[in-house]
Amino acid sequence: MSHPKHKIFVSAYACEPGQGSEIGVGWHWVLEMSRYFELWVLTRESNRPTIEPWIKENPEYRNIHFLYFDLPKWARFWKKGLRGVRTYYNIWQFCTDGIVKRTMRENGIKIFHHITYGNVLWKVSSYGQKQFFVWGPVGGLETIPAEYSNHYGRKARIIEQARRATIRLLPVNMGFKQRCKNADIILCKTEITSNLIPAKYRDKAVLFTDVAVESLAQHTGNQETKSNCTNFITVGRLEAWRGFDIAIESFAKAAKERNDIHLTIVGKGGDKERLKAIAKQQGIEDKITFTGKVEMEEYYRLLAASDVAINASLKEGAVTVSFDTLSMGKPLICLDTTGYTRYFSNEYAIVIPRTSRKNVIEKMSAAIVRLCNEEERKSLGEKAKSAGTQFTWQARGEEFCDLLMSKIKSCL
């Protein structure tokens, strides 16, 4: 495929090699886009110490022009990890608008692509969005029904109530409407987000997930000796909306039929104590291991050693592990979020409709029992590995390039 090398300014707040989740997404997008376009990439100054050594070791990517910015330490003392990230992110977007404007003008760049964070409710460079503006992939308009959130702790219940109220107020959210108006392409992670774009701008919306399959062949050779137990794994930040309580309750129900099962929960977060209490209440604390946050190499080891992965996230989220299961040939049990699950077929995964909480737990429990059968696991796993070859980062990059080129032909 041959295209002229258009210049693109990329706003990638989260972008760093060797990481998963949003940070890894930003990094992979930049690498794939650089195959087809000349890029100027703005990211956080804190990402420089990992980006620059990586680029030195991979000189074929030296054509990417990285720009870095962070507020001075004294002005961000209050931000720690994900605490305060939304506030800091919006301040960062405001403060970097001058960098966007100056860089685009000095280098004759006419295309602005905002990648991370992919939330339609969060700020975008005011200068960038007035150029040829590619927005996303974005989400953030997915909500969780009270039937589920009523089981959460007080803080998480309030957050979900506030989110539902925010979505109801979308018609009067001027920032969101302005971004929809300015965007030339809106890459939507889910059908839910796409359907909530104002009708007069919805023709700009394209369903497009932000994650793809990364080759993990180097991590699959050291699988531990198989025990007599069927090992399940679920990964992600321990937040209520990610559905770990659903996974635990489903697991407890399945354990009444199968005693030879174990669940490993990988990740840290504020919901950990509630989840531990649920496991104890269900009488299965001996069948669940909470690892806390682990390094990427340990994550890959745990995934390789597992038999089945579960992603009980109730909306778009924790998808990196879902695509990693394809690379490693592991069956996946997940809930249909209308997002990344578009890439998962019941031929090689078990995709459960998000219906009533009771029904979801029953179906997930049945899926856990079903995949205790080694032949069933093997069959789904082989099909998953084969299917994963269609959803690589290279394929995602080609798909995006073709889409962008088709849109800009008539505009630039």
Side-chain angles (χ1 to χ4, degrees), residues 9 24 27 45 52 95 121 141-142 147 157 200 204 273 276 311 329 369 374 402:
F9 189 101
W27 180 251
E45 178 68 40
E52 300 209 337
C95 291
L121 300 175
L141 301 184
E142 301 78 20
E147 176 187 5
R157 286 200 309 273
K200 60 182 174 180
K204 304 175 183 179
E273 293 309 313
K276 281 190 166 183
N311 183 2
V369 172
E374 188 174 357
D402 288 341

Side-chain angles (χ1 to χ4, degrees), residues 126-143:
S126 58
Y127 181 83
Q129 65 179 285
K130 290 172 186 171
Q131 312 312 304
F132 187 95
F133 173 30
V134 183
W135 192 19
V138 288
L141 301 184
E142 301 78 20
T143 58

